[in-house]
Amino acid sequence: MAINESQLTDWISQLDSSDGEIRQSARHQLVQTGSDAVPALINALDHASETMRWEAAKALGEIRDPAAVEPLIEILADDDSVRFVAASALIGMSNDSVPHLLRALIHEPARFRDGGCFVLHHLASDDEKLREPLTPVVEALMSLDSSLLVPVESEKALSKLK
């Protein structure tokens, strides 16, 4: 779908509207635009407004473009509502998101602990082939020694998934 930059900018700004119908309509238009809207939506993830970040994460989750995986992982450390939407988007993109999330947990386990636990627990529960490699990571994330165990278990899971 060919899109003009002005329209794209308008839809992005409408994601922060106080009117829910305007936000939903703008999000729908951005999702219909698809991958062409992804760079602008990724930029919106850095916006000061929680509403804007929530709407951008929601749209990215519906588009499911792999380019959005790492920015969505970054906002797993955001406020609860935004974290939940980002986590849901990453669950929907499991094949693309799991390796990136495991790498993030290797390097910054405390920062991504809650969001990472939610995503990996959900994927391990729902996907038979992910259960065996991800369950030890989820258990490590829930342990008292998570800062020590998570990087080790994430590294093991990553090697099993290759």
Side-chain angles (χ1 to χ4, degrees):
M1 172 181 196
I3 187 70
N4 91 40
E5 287 299 313
S6 170
Q7 184 62 70
L8 190 62
T9 302
D10 287 347
W11 288 331
I12 292 289
S13 68
Q14 290 169 6
L15 293 178
D16 198 31
S17 171
S18 59
D19 184 326
E21 288 182 26
I22 290 173
R23 288 194 313 271
Q24 185 176 6
S25 174
R27 187 176 69 241
H28 175 76
Q29 293 300 323
L30 289 161
V31 169
Q32 292 301 316
T33 301
S35 293
D36 289 342
V38 169
L41 287 164
I42 289 171
N43 286 338
L45 294 175
D46 290 330
H47 198 276
S49 163
E50 182 178 344
T51 301
M52 174 75 82
R53 295 190 310 275
W54 190 97
E55 292 287 352
K58 180 81 170 164
L60 288 167
E62 292 176 32
I63 295 170
R64 295 188 178 187
D65 187 307
V69 168
E70 289 190 32
L72 286 166
I73 289 171
E74 283 298 313
I75 65 166
L76 284 178
D78 205 312
D79 296 323
D80 286 341
S81 67
V82 177
R83 180 184 317 144
F84 177 77
V85 174
S88 296
L90 291 166
I91 289 166
M93 296 189 276
S94 65
N95 291 340
D96 293 313
S97 67
V98 169
H100 292 283
L101 182 52
L102 290 171
R103 282 196 231 21
L105 287 167
I106 290 167
H107 298 290
E108 295 184 81
R111 182 168 179 228
F112 300 113
R113 181 181 179 188
D114 294 340
C117 188
F118 181 85
V119 172
L120 297 179
H121 175 72
H122 195 286
L123 292 172
S125 298
D126 289 353
D127 188 330
E128 187 68 37
K129 68 181 190 284
L130 292 175
R131 187 165 299 135
E132 190 264 325
L134 296 184
T135 297
V137 181
V138 172
E139 289 169 355
L141 285 162
M142 293 190 287
S143 77
L144 295 175
D145 295 328
S146 64
S147 61
L148 299 172
L149 296 174
V150 170
V152 172
E153 294 301 334
S154 296
E155 193 78 60
K156 287 180 192 175
L158 201 51
S159 68
K160 288 178 184 176
L161 293 171
K162 288 183 179 176

